[in-house]
Amino acid sequence: MKKRKTVKEIREMKAAGSRLTMLTAYDASMARLFDSCGVDILLVGDSLGMVMLGYDSTVPVTMDEMLHHCAAVRRGAPQAFVVGDMPFGSYQLGGEDAVRNGVRFIKEAGVDGVKLEGGVEVCETVAALVRAGIPVMGHIGLTPQTAGQMGGYKVQGRDDGSASRLLQEAVALEKAGAFSIVLECIPAQLAQVISESISIAAIGIGAGVDCDGQVLVNQDMLGMFTGFTPSFVKKYANLAPIIEGAVKQYITEVKEGTFPDAAHSFGTDRSYSGIKKKSNI
Ligand code: KIV
């Protein structure tokens, strides 16, 4: 049996210039598929609020919902490094609260680390989690939990002021002990500067090719989510029409009585006429 990916290996991959792959996963069967393909990191993102639970944003997602999905992903993925996304409200009250919730992710769901959004303002919290022995992935740039404050889902760091703030935040998160940082929706050139300025892995989404790794939401890259798809997403498959086609064919065959056919039924020589008689009694 192959062993599970560790923080040490993720750090070594950054040092060796070997690109990291990360995908979101929310359930055991997808996690099993992705794990067997060799994805390095599975992120149980709070994006599950939108792609799995039908919320309008990530904000309503609760700790219990996250733990439920994280535990399923862990059961399906014995090898990948599994990261649980700390939902809005689970770390904003400070270190003590964040550690209490971080411990739940590790003990109840079996994840290998947690992710939280924010820059300098969350560094104390990141340090508290790391002191408690919980590996932390940061997340800067477009941070969906506070997208409202940013004026919506917009590219961040376009001007010099916001770009240098993002660089400072990445450096501060590294100092606080984060083992990796997600860079979301920032210009590719800025992501390259940030990636080259820190010794922990910068994992990009909408941040160009010069990051230390990439992450995508699986429903987006597999073409399963029929809602809005951001322009940076490459659809490696278009499963929605395939699924729709299969479901429509199933409906037709059930209605017309051609499913199940003999190949998908259990047969026997018996006629069960005796049983019929008994049940008539
Ligand atoms: O919740 C999520 O899926 C994420 C990724 C987009 C990085 O945070």
Side-chain angles (χ1 to χ4, degrees):
M1 200 174 86
K2 287 195 194 150
K3 64 179 184 50
R4 193 180 299 169
K5 182 126 296 123
T6 61
V7 168
K8 184 169 172 277
E9 286 168 299
I10 292 169
R11 288 186 185 279
E12 284 167 359
M13 286 175 77
K14 159 80 184 193
S18 161
R19 286 195 169 91
L20 282 147
T21 53
M22 178 157 101
L23 273 180
T24 66
Y26 314 104
D27 62 83
S29 54
M30 279 292 190
R32 192 170 292 116
L33 275 175
F34 299 163
D35 198 56
S36 68
C37 293
V39 175
D40 297 308
I41 304 175
L42 290 180
L43 170 65
V44 188
D46 61 356
S47 50
L48 71 82
M50 288 143 102
V51 297
M52 300 295 287
L53 304 180
Y55 297 140
D56 283 344
S57 76
T58 59
V59 172
V61 176
T62 65
M63 271 299 294
D64 286 345
E65 286 166 342
M66 287 307 305
L67 294 176
H68 177 80
H69 287 270
C70 284
V73 169
R74 174 76 295 156
R75 286 192 288 274
Q79 287 171 53
F81 190 93
V82 175
V83 175
D85 215 357
M86 298 195 75
F88 185 65
S90 69
Y91 60 94
Q92 280 79 1
L93 293 179
E96 202 179 312
D97 204 38
V99 170
R100 188 178 310 113
N101 286 317
V103 166
R104 289 191 70 195
F105 269 101
I106 303 283
K107 288 185 72 160
E108 295 177 35
V111 304
D112 302 299
V114 298
K115 175 169 87 56
L116 53 81
E117 297 180 7
V120 177
E121 75 283 5
V122 296
C123 280
E124 254 312 300
T125 301
V126 170
L129 284 159
V130 173
R131 275 197 303 275
I134 301 171
V136 179
M137 177 179 278
H139 182 162
I140 59 174
L142 173 58
T143 46
Q145 291 176 6
T146 47
Q149 279 177 11
M150 297 174 156
Y153 294 83
K154 289 186 179 150
V155 177
Q156 303 294 307
R158 282 204 190 273
D159 58 80
D160 281 2
S162 58
S164 66
R165 201 187 57 244
L166 282 169
L167 174 58
Q168 282 165 20
E169 290 183 332
V171 171
L173 283 164
E174 176 176 4
K175 278 201 186 118
F179 72 92
S180 158
I181 305 177
V182 169
L183 305 178
E184 179 162 356
C185 269
I186 65 172
Q189 295 79 357
L190 173 60
Q192 181 178 5
V193 170
I194 294 176
S195 306
E196 288 172 355
S197 305
I198 56 179
S199 62
I200 56 174
I203 301 182
I205 175 163
V209 75
D210 290 309
C211 300
D212 305 302
Q214 297 292 327
V215 55
L216 283 175
V217 169
N218 84 63
Q219 258 83 354
D220 287 343
M221 65 90 78
L222 293 175
M224 287 172 69
F225 187 53
T226 49
F228 169 74
T229 306
S231 62
F232 58 77
V233 170
K234 178 172 176 183
K235 282 195 185 179
Y236 285 83
N238 196 15
L239 297 188
I242 294 174
I243 294 169
E244 281 163 1
V247 172
K248 281 180 185 159
Q249 189 179 343
Y250 167 73
I251 292 170
T252 303
E253 291 185 9
V254 170
K255 299 248 183 229
E256 68 188 16
T258 53
F259 177 81
D261 54 11
H264 298 96
S265 305
F266 301 105
T268 177
D269 294 340
R270 304 186 57 175
S271 68
Y272 297 111
S273 52
I275 285 185
K276 240 190 234 164
K277 269 184 209 136
K278 270 186 204 141
S279 61
N280 284 343
I281 293 168

